[in-house]
Amino acid sequence: DAKTTQPNSMESNEEEPVHLPCNHSTISGTDYIHWYRQLPSQGPEYVIHGLTSNVNNRMASLAIAEDRKSSTLILHRATLRDAAVYYCILRDGNSGTYKYIFGTGTRLKVLA
Amino acid sequence: NAGVMQNPRHLVRRRGQEARLRCSPMKGHSHVYWYRQLPEEGLKFMVYLQKENIIDESGMPKERFSAEFPKEGPSILRIQQVVRGDSAAYFCASSPRTGPHTDTQYFGPGTRLTVL
């Protein structure tokens, strides 16, 4: 299974943008990049996913490097409710299982 | 549309007892995944099921653990003769699996199992 590397923790000030990086140098052509976040004592929450092109939704933006070996989750204006552990996951689009392999994620702290 | 439902939310068992965890997927989803999360760790895949079939159980311990997803009713994760090391949060996720791009998994709130 392809692996991802994320910083253990990051801090951001409230109302400022946050860029959460993820390295996935062993990504294959069929791997989708998924981002989830987990708030304290809750299940993971889907944030965004993409394959090659940058993606935007109401929660965040996903910027994917041209060689696809890295990606960045962008929260445009961090709020206190965005404090969570953010997971970057590669999911094989060709496998029959589509299971997620979670890493340790990045713990985002938002300062008021 | 109700989300993924899991019950109970908290479960306390003594060593040697059985734990039964239930998961009702989102409406229209026929694919269920179970994950386990130990304290301060990421989620670990356990098993993937479709209705009446186990597709991938590569992450599930060979002994004491079993899972099912019957034609009618919720998916069940069963742990027999629980030990303290089974104490963890167990998350269920469901997916419509209509294709690789639309295969997002939606997670339930989890069942927190404590073994005394």
Side-chain angles (χ1 to χ4, degrees):
Chain A
D1 294 306
K3 293 184 179 178
T4 61
T5 304
Q6 300 176 253
N8 287 333
S9 62
M10 292 183 65
E11 282 188 2
S12 172
N13 293 319
E14 199 175 10
E15 302 295 322
E16 291 186 356
V18 182
H19 290 232
L20 297 166
C22 180
N23 287 319
H24 28 78
S25 58
T26 59
I27 191 170
S28 72
T30 56
D31 285 339
Y32 283 79
I33 302 161
H34 284 238
W35 283 83
Y36 279 75
R37 70 180 185 181
Q38 187 175 24
L39 279 67
S41 300
Q42 294 188 27
E45 176 187 26
Y46 168 78
V47 178
I48 200 167
H49 78 283
L51 183 62
T52 56
S53 303
N54 294 344
V55 184
N56 300 296
N57 65 22
R58 64 176 180 82
M59 289 183 69
S61 295
L62 176 60
I64 301 173
E66 195 168 338
D67 64 4
R68 301 211 323 126
K69 293 185 185 299
S70 65
S71 61
T72 302
L73 178 70
I74 303 165
L75 306 179
H76 296 287
R77 291 180 64 193
T79 70
L80 296 177
R81 289 177 295 178
D82 291 323
V85 178
Y86 286 79
Y87 294 100
C88 169
I89 301 164
L90 296 186
R91 209 225 51 229
D92 184 356
N94 272 344
S95 84
T97 296
Y98 292 7
K99 64 189 178 189
Y100 288 159
I101 307 297
F102 283 81
T104 53
T106 295
R107 184 174 298 276
L108 176 65
K109 187 175 180 179
V110 180
L111 306 175
Chain B
N1 189 9
V4 177
M5 300 175 66
Q6 291 188 248
N7 67 81
R9 294 292 306 276
H10 299 273
L11 183 61
V12 179
R13 285 287 178 266
R14 297 189 180 280
R15 282 180 297 169
Q17 292 184 318
E18 177 179 287
R20 192 172 294 205
L21 289 61
R22 295 176 183 77
C23 168
S24 296
M26 289 180 69
K27 186 176 181 180
H29 290 193
S30 58
H31 302 262
V32 165
Y33 301 76
W34 286 92
Y35 295 81
R36 176 166 66 177
Q37 185 174 34
L38 297 172
E40 303 303 319
E41 294 188 12
L43 282 74
K44 304 290 186 199
F45 167 79
M46 297 182 73
V47 62
Y48 160 47
L49 310 101
Q50 294 179 29
K51 283 287 188 180
E52 300 184 276
N53 289 302
I54 296 175
I55 307 302
D56 182 350
E57 55 182 348
S58 59
M60 199 156 67
K62 294 289 187 288
E63 297 181 357
R64 302 187 299 109
F65 286 73
S66 63
E68 63 178 16
F69 189 16
K71 186 176 180 181
E72 301 291 337
S75 175
I76 306 286
L77 179 67
R78 185 181 292 109
I79 311 173
Q80 296 177 305
Q81 300 178 318
V82 296
V83 300
R84 289 215 174 105
D86 297 332
S87 295
Y90 292 82
F91 293 97
C92 165
S94 74
S95 165
R97 273 298 295 271
T98 56
H101 189 64
T102 58
D103 186 48
T104 301
Q105 294 181 23
Y106 297 89
F107 284 80
T111 293
R112 279 152 184 82
L113 172 65
T114 301
V115 180
L116 301 177

